[in-house]
Each structure stands twice: as structure tokens, then as C-alpha cells.
Amino acid sequence: MAKNEISLDDLLFEKIARALDGLEYGSIHIVVHDSQVVQIERTEKYRLPVEKPEAKISQARTGK
């Protein structure tokens, strides 16, 4: 293989790294068929800050 030729494994690792880049919460699914990676799926979840119930009650009472 020539020096500047990129192998399939290198491309696969690059795609997996790109799927992981910036992922805070979620998952990466790698689908294999006949010993070959055929699909990479990225599921991302966004976590929202949780308000405590007493904060909601006091806001309802004060009208804020």
C-alpha cells in the first residue's frame, strides 16, 4: 500500500471517532454483517436541567 493511501480500517476508525466527537449523552451502534461493519448509528440525547418540585411551588405562589 502506498504511503498516502488510507486503508479501510483507518476510514472506519475515523468515522467512529467522528460519531463520538461531541457526544455527551447517547450511544453509538456499530452494525456488523458477515464480519463487515455495514452501518454506524449515533443516538444523541439532550439532558435538561431538573427543577426541584419546591422551586415550582414557590414560583406558582409568587406568580413568577
Side-chain angles (χ1 to χ4, degrees):
M1 181 173 8
K3 261 188 174 180
N4 57 359
E5 191 175 322
I6 300 173
S7 74
L8 184 58
D9 287 341
D10 291 338
L11 288 173
L12 178 60
F13 291 134
E14 183 181 326
K15 288 187 181 293
I16 293 169
R18 235 184 293 147
L20 286 168
D21 189 36
L23 184 65
E24 288 186 54
Y25 298 99
S27 60
I28 304 294
H29 296 270
I30 300 170
V31 180
V32 178
H33 181 71
D34 289 333
S35 300
Q36 298 283 327
V37 174
V38 295
Q39 188 170 321
I40 300 170
E41 300 175 17
R42 173 181 165 144
T43 303
E44 189 167 1
K45 298 180 183 217
Y46 296 99
R47 300 282 171 104
L48 304 174
V50 178
E51 288 187 35
K52 294 182 180 178
E54 56 269 7
K56 289 182 181 180
I57 293 170
S58 65
Q59 284 178 355
R61 288 182 185 160
T62 59
K64 292 181 182 177

